[in-house]
């Protein structure tokens, strides 16, 4: 096994651990108070209404419209609908950038599948399936490289020239864009040199089999690979993992309209939280440096009966 | 302006010039605006004002460098506590998501009325204050925060200027959350502002005086933020009964502290003082519909406001728990919240997870109940009595933050002749705040009222004027229905400062007043327009 393979495994490991840690961090935070924002697609009311519009709503069965939620989510994820509607000039660049990324990830999946079938003796030249996987790799990856590059260039220029964006951008934002841009460009060059992704598939195969590399890898390919595995390991530690925030912020905050009807799970959480010690220091809180808990401070009224008129 | 510039040593970071503000619609396109009144020299010496020359907080300047340092440390300590589950379980998850994930795309900026109407001053961008908080947290509270801080984009200086400006800046956002509704990654800059206010209040004892000392403290001390005591409320209600008799000829007894009533109705107590016709109209409607309800004269039981919603979780919880306790003691089946937007959001939604489920009392919006009354046919309405153009203001707390959109429209369509009701654009969940959200409607310290007039209320004034274009002749009386006490206060102040009724014939009221005005058995008009009393003389 070569150095590049070891680096790839390591970066994969960092990615998995980093990403899992991030998911775990948010998933284990306490249930918060409700802070939803309408419209909530699963309410199924296109005008943005909620069950609060119904008389005695707590006595009624709540209908959750899952289909409406998917109708909202799919265009949101695939086409970045929010940006299309509310920030079109940025969407022109952000959309190709994200679509480029999705396509490249799709290409990578087909490359991996191609490597897998190749292990079982099915190569593009002798198997229809392997040949299909090879074509799909190209069909996804190449437009991905092109769209991604267009997006990176557009976003970089926009970030530099739009004063609203330039004022909030830092070196790291440009570095992230350029890093991904180089990844797309070198990927494209690799494809020009090896239109059938022969070397890439062989590398993938060596990763799966822990075996040696059967095809020599060119210099630009090595650069592309290093850029990729570096980014893979770095990614979980950046705000670019915003699919995590999207899941939590949408599903667990903006759309979390679960009423408190005394179910055991919610009750036990609330009881636990009310016992948390409070250390807020302002005098009116009266937390006494953590001697009081939430139940104590919330049920106290420091002003009651004093100066009552 | 980069967020880092907030720590710059300068007398004033930004100045609002009236010529930079977006023009208002006809007949105000060439209106000569009165600029923000500069603070007097002695006020400038006393109060922090270096953000934009405006003081909403009348925040005293520290007297010694040691005091400055102590305050800066207190801020940092508060920021740290905000990020712990023990001190902030209530909002930790949404806060941390918003702390970490901003893509700096500025989509939120165009949605924010404060930013737009300030003439796009960078300090009012939804991201500006949020970015400052993020940068301070990253540099001063995270491990290795100093390493490559400039390259990583959080090289900010934390000094007293920064903290003082942040305090004022946290009172330049109405918490309308329009920004959050457009953010492509789900970041909530309204929430970031809410949390920032909490550091000031819960750790440093700094808050808008009208929402803390004169607000939630008075509420818990006397029973109402208006200062109305439990002893006074029953007297006031007696006066209301007399007024009802005078206006309707009906003798209606408003039930007080009635054990076992179906409903506890809680108004914003500001209505008793400023718009008594609102609780009167509720009494008339509930009586005519045969609703079994009661008002309470218990401490805080007659005032639905919960100013803690805007700045302090502890004060919030104290008031919300009082409301629930009163309802429990009376044995009512549900609480109905009067025309007060933030009370809707506070008690129905946010307070929902403060107690185990069995201890919760169902809460319902008066809009929903009023619509049900209309639909039931128990009261006969004659829409021709409301034969004037009307538009509807959507209180953010009820609409975008709670999803009650249709009932108020169904009511208006039932009590107005066809074609008389027109929508503002945009409306419903995409509405704009009245400009008085997050406590602004009642905040009047320093020269802050000028900022509200010029900046935060400007979008709503534009929308109101736009809704009635083509009918601006002042002899055509036109109405803005604003079913929220806070919004009414802000809209009243805007209409009065710009002499809108005199110039265009546009006035404002709540929804129940319009309903009673349209009741078939209501002989005299219930609505009062400015100048009506003079006509009587
Ligand atoms: S829209 Fe959201 S991601 Fe974009 S700058 Fe605003 S808060 Fe950040
Ligand atoms: S909550 Fe409203 S006022 Fe505050 S930043 Fe967002 S859009 Fe602007």
């Amino acid at each position: 096994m070569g150095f590049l393979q070891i680096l790839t495994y390591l970066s994969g490991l960092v990615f998995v651990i980093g990403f899992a840690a991030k998911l775990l961090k948010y998933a284990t935070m306490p249930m918060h108070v409700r802070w939803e924002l309408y419209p909530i697609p699963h309410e199924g009311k296109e005008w943005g209404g909620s069950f609060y519009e119904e008389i005695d709503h707590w006595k009624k069965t709540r209908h959750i419209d899952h289909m409406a939620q998917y109708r909202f989510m799919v265009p949101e994820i695939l086409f970045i609908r929010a940006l299309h509607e509310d920030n079109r000039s940025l969407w022109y660049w952000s959309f190709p950038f994200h679509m480029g990324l999705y396509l490249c990830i799709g290409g990578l999946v087909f490359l991996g599948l191609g490597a897998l079938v190749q292990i079982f003796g099915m190569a593009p030249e002798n198997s229809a399936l392997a040949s299909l996987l090879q074509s799909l790799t190209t069909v996804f990856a190449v437009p991905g490289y092109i769209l991604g590059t267009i997006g990176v260039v557009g976003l970089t220029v926009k970030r530099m020239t739009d004063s609203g964006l330039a004022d909030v951008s830092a070196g790291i934002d440009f570095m992230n864009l350029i890093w991904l841009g180089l990844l797309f460009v070198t990927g494209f060059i690799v494809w020009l040199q090896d239109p059938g992704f022969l070397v890439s598939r062989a590398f993938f195969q060596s990763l799966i089999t822990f075996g040696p590399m059967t095809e020599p890898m060119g210099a630009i390919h090595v650069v592309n690979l290093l850029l990729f595995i570096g980014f893979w390991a770095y990614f979980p530690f950046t705000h670019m993992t915003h699919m995590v925030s999207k899941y939590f912020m949408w599903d667990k905050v903006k759309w979390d309209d679960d009423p408190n009807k005394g179910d055991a799970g919610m009750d036990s959480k609330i009881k636990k939280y009310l016992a948390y010690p409070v250390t807020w220091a302002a005098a009116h809180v009266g937390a006494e440096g953590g001697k009081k808990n939430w139940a104590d401070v919330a049920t106290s009224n420091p002003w009651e009966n004093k100066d009552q008129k | 302006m980069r967020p880092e510039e907030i720590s710059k040593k300068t007398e004033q970071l930004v100045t609002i010039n009236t010529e930079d503000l977006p023009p208002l619609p006809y007949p105000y396109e060439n209106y000569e605006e009165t600029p923000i009144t500069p603070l007097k020299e002695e006020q400038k010496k006393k109060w922090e004002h270096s953000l934009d020359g405006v003081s909403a907080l009348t925040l005293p300047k520290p007297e010694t460098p040691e005091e400055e340092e102590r305050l800066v440390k207190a801020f940092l300590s508060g920021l740290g506590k905000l990020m712990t589950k023990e001190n902030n379980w209530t909002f930790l998850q949404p806060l941390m998501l918003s702390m970490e994930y901003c893509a700096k795309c500025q989509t939120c900026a165009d949605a924010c009325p404060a930013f737009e109407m300030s003439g796009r001053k960078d300090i009012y961008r939804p991201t500006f204050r949020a970015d400052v908080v993020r940068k301070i947290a990253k540099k001063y509270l995270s491990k290795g925060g100093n390493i490559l801080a400039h390259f990583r984009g959080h090289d900010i200086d934390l000094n007293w200027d920064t903290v003082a400006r942040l305090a004022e800046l946290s009172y330049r956002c109405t918490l309308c959350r329009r920004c959050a509704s457009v953010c492509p990654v789900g970041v909530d800059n309204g929430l970031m502002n809410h949390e920032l206010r909490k550091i000031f209040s819960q750790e440093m004892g700094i808050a808008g005086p009208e929402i803390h000392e004169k607000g939630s403290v008075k509420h818990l001390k006397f029973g109402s933020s208006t200062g109305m005591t439990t002893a006074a409320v029953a007297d006031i209600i007696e006066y209301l009964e007399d007024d009802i008799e005078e206006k309707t000829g009906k003798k209606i007894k408003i039930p007080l502290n009635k054990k076992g009533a179906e409903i506890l109705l809680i108004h914003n107590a500001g209505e008793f003082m400023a718009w008594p016709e609102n609780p009167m109209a509720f009494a008339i409607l509930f009586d005519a519909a045969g609703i079994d309800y009661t008002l309470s004269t218990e401490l805080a039981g007659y005032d639905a406001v919960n100013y803690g919603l805007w700045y302090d979780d502890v004060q919030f919880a104290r008031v919300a728990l009082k409301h629930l306790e009163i309802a429990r003691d009376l044995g009512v089946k549900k609480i109905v919240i009067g025309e007060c937007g933030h009370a809707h959001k506070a008690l129905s939604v946010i307070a929902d997870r403060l107690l185990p489920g069995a201890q919760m009392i169902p809460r319902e919006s008066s809009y929903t109940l009023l619509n049900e009354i209309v639909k039931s046919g128990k009261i006969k309405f004659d829409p021709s009595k409301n034969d004037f153009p009307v538009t509807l203001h959507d209180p953010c707390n009820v609409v975008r933050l709670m999803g009650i959109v249709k009932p108020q429209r169904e009511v208006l369509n039932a009590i107005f002749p066809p074609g008389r009701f027109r929508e503002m654009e945009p409306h419903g969940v995409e509405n704009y705040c009245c400009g008085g959200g997050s406590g602004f409607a009642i905040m009047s310290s320093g020269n802050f009222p000028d900022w509200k007039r010029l900046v935060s209320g400007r979008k709503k004034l534009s929308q109101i004027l736009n809704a009635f274009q083509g009918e601006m002749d002042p002899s055509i009386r036109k109405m803005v229905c604003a079913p929220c006490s806070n919004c009414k206060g802000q809209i009243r102040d805007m209409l009065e400062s710009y002499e809108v009724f005199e110039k265009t014939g546009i006035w404002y009221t709540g929804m129940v007043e319009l309903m009673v005005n349209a009741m078939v058995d209501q002989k005299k008009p219930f609505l009062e327009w400015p100048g009506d009393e003079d006509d009587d003389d």
Side-chain angles (χ1 to χ4, degrees), chain B residues 2-16:
Chain B
R2 295 186 72 89
E4 289 83 350
E5 289 182 51
I6 196 168
S7 54
K8 200 156 87 181
K9 294 275 173 205
T10 170
E11 164 88 20
Q12 188 174 322
L13 211 53
V14 159
T15 303
I16 307 277

Side-chain angles (χ1 to χ4, degrees), chain B residues 68-133:
Chain B
E68 273 192 23
E69 205 184 309
R70 183 182 62 74
L71 288 164
V72 172
K73 279 201 181 129
F75 176 81
L76 207 52
S77 138
L79 182 55
K81 288 177 193 173
L82 207 59
M83 295 189 285
T84 63
K85 71 174 195 287
E86 287 77 11
N87 278 303
N88 201 23
W89 66 268
T90 44
F91 286 96
L92 185 70
Q93 193 190 48
L95 168 71
M96 294 314 283
L97 289 162
S98 287
M99 284 287 271
E100 197 162 338
Y101 284 106
C102 177
K104 306 178 190 175
C105 69
Q106 299 304 315
T107 309
C108 50
D110 286 332
C112 171
F115 172 61
E116 183 193 351
M117 290 291 137
S118 69
R120 302 177 75 83
K121 295 274 184 255
D122 285 326
I123 56 165
Y124 304 133
R125 277 179 192 278
T127 46
F128 189 91
R129 61 179 85 74
D131 268 351
V132 172
V133 175

